[in-house]
Amino acid sequence: MGSLLLRGMIAGLIAGILAFGFAKVFGEPQVDRAIGFEEQVAKAKGEPEEPEIVSRDVQASIGLFTGVAVVGTAMGGLFALAFAFVNGRVTHLSPRTTTVIIAILGFIAIYLVPNLKYPANPPSVGSPDTIGYRTQLYFGMIVFSLAALAIAISAARQFATNLGAWNGAFIGIGIYIVLTSLAGYMLPSINEVPEGFPADLLWKFRVASFGIQTILWAAMGIIFGILLERLSAKPAR
Amino acid sequence: MINSSVLQGSALPVIPLRQILPWALFGGLLFLLAMYFIGVEEGAMAVFNGSYVHEFVHDGRHLLGFPCH
Ligand SMILES: [Zn+2]
């Protein structure tokens, strides 16, 4: 179990490094522009300039790297735990196939669906007063989405015994879509985009965020699979 | 259920739940804590006073999709 966890964390770290590269090239210009907008608005209102606690250079280099690499490593560890639970119990596939399936489902349930309801926002979008409320809603949506995934998988397995794997899978997908759509419909929406904020900047920022998470999940699934394939080639311990 | 000879290959042995659990509890907590510090600390909740952690990981927090600001 220890070596499994370690491999997960290594895969996550490498994925984090790759995602950092993408974030640096495609994400940082949008963050810079958004901060520029924020400063302009503050100046127009006559607010005093905010003191810089951490310089922009540090934020955009080691700050960004630390953030993405730590989250990547931690995600890799959790990924390995999920693999250990699922392997041989829910799936009976090669390690590589299992890791790719976990990566796809994890990406959809933890990032994609919650972010359709509560998308990533650049600096200056979002009021500081509502940060507690927004954080609760965001993590609430992730928890709900994961619960819906668990229900969908267990239903898919039950139906698969009588109706076949394909039909079982379709029923599972249907259940997941219905449950998460319901949550998305009932939970309150948040729109705190300030007046005059460039639409193309918001779009580009969100695309960059989507790209970062896609790279993170895809690389993690593929690299962890490769590392496990090597583990299973060795004699079992 | 998901069972196809093409995809099966060499499966890893099933790890007993008793063996996973301590790792899951300890590791899971540690990993979630690490994510908390990158994603939430000095925003919605705070362990430390000030805003250094928040400011240091600020770009990553926004770009990874955590609520901020
Ligand atoms: Zn922020």
Side-chain angles (χ1 to χ4, degrees):
Chain A
M1 186 64 217
S3 71
L4 188 78
L5 208 58
L6 187 67
R7 275 156 212 261
M9 291 171 73
I10 292 171
L13 178 62
I14 299 172
I17 292 168
L18 293 175
F20 165 76
F22 184 89
K24 183 82 195 151
V25 175
F26 294 99
E28 276 303 330
Q30 319 311 329
V31 175
D32 275 335
R33 264 183 78 195
I35 289 173
F37 176 86
E38 194 173 36
E39 282 168 354
Q40 249 179 15
V41 171
K43 209 179 257 174
K45 279 188 192 159
E47 286 170 10
E49 250 179 69
E50 275 183 54
E52 244 184 18
I53 295 160
V54 178
S55 79
R56 278 298 301 140
D57 281 347
V58 172
Q59 282 185 333
S61 55
I62 42 170
L64 176 66
F65 181 81
T66 308
V68 181
V70 169
V71 165
T73 310
M75 273 169 69
L78 293 169
F79 198 104
L81 289 172
F83 177 89
F85 275 114
V86 160
N87 177 47
R89 292 191 184 84
V90 184
T91 61
H92 305 272
L93 305 160
S94 75
R96 266 177 152 166
T97 317
T98 306
T99 56
V100 168
I101 291 173
I102 297 175
I104 293 169
L105 294 182
F107 174 74
I108 293 172
I110 296 171
Y111 179 73
L112 188 64
V113 168
N115 270 267
L116 289 175
K117 178 68 182 170
Y118 301 116
N121 278 322
S124 86
V125 175
S127 147
D129 308 330
T130 60
I131 178 67
Y133 179 59
R134 282 183 286 128
T135 304
Q136 278 172 20
L137 287 177
Y138 182 64
F139 286 100
M141 189 68 199
I142 292 177
V143 169
F144 189 90
S145 171
L146 280 173
L149 180 68
I151 293 167
I153 290 174
S154 99
R157 295 183 68 189
Q158 303 230 314
F159 282 108
T161 48
N162 287 327
L163 302 173
W166 274 109
N167 291 327
F170 286 138
I171 291 171
I173 292 168
I175 289 173
Y176 178 75
I177 293 174
V178 169
L179 287 177
T180 48
S181 303
L182 222 61
Y185 180 74
M186 296 205 297
L187 286 171
S189 293
I190 286 169
N191 182 9
E192 296 180 347
V193 181
E195 193 81 26
F197 191 83
D200 77 306
L201 173 53
L202 188 63
W203 168 252
K204 281 179 186 159
F205 179 88
R206 287 176 177 172
V207 171
S209 170
F210 178 83
I212 291 165
Q213 289 275 357
T214 308
I215 290 171
L216 210 51
W217 282 97
M220 200 160 55
I222 293 165
I223 296 167
F224 188 41
I226 293 170
L227 294 176
L228 287 185
E229 211 69 37
R230 291 192 175 175
L231 189 71
S232 65
K234 280 191 227 159
R237 267 162 299 163
Chain B
M1 56 147 245
I2 308 170
N3 224 326
S4 142
S5 55
V6 189
L7 299 172
Q8 253 178 341
S10 54
L12 276 173
V14 180
I15 302 167
L17 282 177
R18 244 181 312 123
Q19 216 179 316
I20 302 176
L21 216 61
W23 289 98
L25 288 177
F26 178 71
L29 207 70
L30 200 74
F31 297 137
L32 290 176
L33 198 70
M35 288 184 155
Y36 163 83
F37 274 102
I38 305 297
V40 186
E41 169 68 9
E42 290 161 7
M45 286 182 273
V47 175
F48 301 121
N49 280 324
S51 57
Y52 188 83
V53 177
H54 174 130
E55 289 296 326
F56 182 65
V57 299
H58 182 257
D59 289 17
R61 184 174 292 190
H62 275 280
L63 283 166
L64 287 164
F66 292 106
C68 184
H69 261 61

